[in-house]
Amino acid sequence: MSKSTSIFERVTTLLLSGKVICATKYEDEFNWLGYGNGINIDDVNQFLVRLNRTTRATNEKDGYFCAYLDQTVDNASSDIRKFFTEVINDIAPLVHWLSLVQSVTGSDRPLRSGDRLSESELLNAIESVPDYEARLMKVTDTGAFKSVTTEPKKRLTTLLTKLVEKDYLIKFGSTGSLYKATAKWSMLYDMLDFIRLHEGVEEQPQPEKEQMDIFQ
């Protein structure tokens, strides 16, 4: 199997499995697609069109995902409803977490693909400021990021681990406590814009962007 064929298979498999391909987590695949590289994207889309799919980029152009071409067919509508239900359940804790990270790091914007986080630095800040600790507890009290421990360190570790499992972060380095954000955050921001426009959601942690395409 040639290298080109192999990476084509990896890219299409990742897209169809619902992954967001970005330079942080899938560097080779992201570079192969290369936004604006019409040849490779056209090749992928010629394959995906037979499955009622196509390739889309996040508004930030830092990630690729798979979108339905015809969203009205039964399986597409069902998949979209299921996906939105899953994401909506995570929205509140994710938004609270983004707000906490911005406060701790002093950043004027939410996480973007490639941004680095240190667990030890986050923990030091959270344990030093009672309000930060209370906000961490709020994020991890219910839902997908729930933790039953009362220790901030264990709660933070559990939260970061789950964010890795959900593809919002990846681990890097040899210490085990360093993380990079992926372009799945950009996908979340696009979704928040879409929901705000169509469901009246007013509060979101990022500037307004254009409406997104609904993906798989």
Side-chain angles (χ1 to χ4, degrees):
M1 184 184 299
S2 70
K3 182 177 180 181
S4 176
T5 303
S6 176
I7 198 166
F8 177 89
E9 181 178 350
R10 295 201 304 272
V11 165
T12 53
T13 299
L14 287 169
L15 290 170
L16 288 170
S17 65
K19 299 295 184 182
V20 179
I21 298 177
C22 67
T24 301
K25 186 165 186 178
Y26 303 108
E27 183 176 7
D28 290 343
E29 291 78 6
F30 180 82
N31 289 338
W32 182 81
L33 277 171
Y35 193 76
N37 184 341
I39 295 176
N40 291 340
I41 290 179
D42 284 349
D43 286 346
V44 171
N45 285 337
Q46 285 175 20
F47 169 77
L48 292 177
V49 70
R50 288 175 280 177
L51 303 173
N52 187 29
R53 309 290 207 286
T54 190
T55 306
R56 293 283 188 263
T58 62
N59 286 335
E60 293 290 331
K61 305 297 186 288
D62 57 0
Y64 300 95
F65 56 88
C66 199
Y68 278 104
L69 287 168
D70 183 355
Q71 301 168 12
T72 64
V73 298
D74 289 344
N75 65 314
S77 298
S78 176
D79 286 350
I80 290 168
R81 285 195 298 270
K82 180 181 177 182
F83 180 83
F84 265 86
T85 298
E86 292 174 354
V87 174
I88 286 171
N89 289 336
D90 290 344
I91 281 180
L94 287 173
V95 170
H96 289 311
W97 166 246
L98 287 167
S99 176
L100 176 58
V101 170
Q102 282 187 255
S103 296
V104 169
T105 61
S107 175
D108 60 355
R109 62 168 177 77
L111 287 172
R112 289 288 188 267
S113 181
D115 286 352
R116 300 185 178 196
L117 294 175
S118 164
E119 183 174 357
S120 59
E121 291 177 4
L122 289 172
L123 181 62
N124 288 338
I126 288 169
E127 290 184 327
S128 299
V129 181
D131 178 61
Y132 292 170
E133 186 171 331
R135 289 162 68 181
L136 173 65
M137 296 300 177
K138 183 175 182 179
V139 173
T140 54
D141 270 344
T142 59
F145 306 103
K146 182 177 180 179
S147 175
V148 296
T149 181
T150 58
E151 297 179 38
K153 183 180 188 307
K154 290 183 179 179
R155 286 212 174 201
L156 180 60
T157 298
T158 298
L159 173 59
L160 292 171
T161 298
K162 290 182 178 179
L163 288 171
V164 170
E165 292 172 356
K166 289 176 174 286
D167 291 333
Y168 287 100
L169 300 175
I170 65 165
K171 281 190 173 184
F172 76 99
S174 58
T175 65
S177 64
L178 298 175
Y179 299 83
K180 285 183 183 179
T182 72
K184 192 165 182 182
W185 291 109
S186 292
M187 184 188 71
L188 175 68
Y189 307 150
D190 292 350
M191 285 196 63
L192 287 170
D193 273 345
F194 179 87
I195 294 170
R196 178 184 59 81
L197 288 170
H198 292 270
E199 301 294 337
V201 174
E202 298 295 337
E203 191 172 339
Q204 50 189 316
Q206 78 289 331
E208 293 186 358
K209 295 183 286 297
E210 295 179 0
Q211 174 179 332
M212 68 173 291
D213 289 294
I214 299 179
F215 45 90
Q216 175 193 331

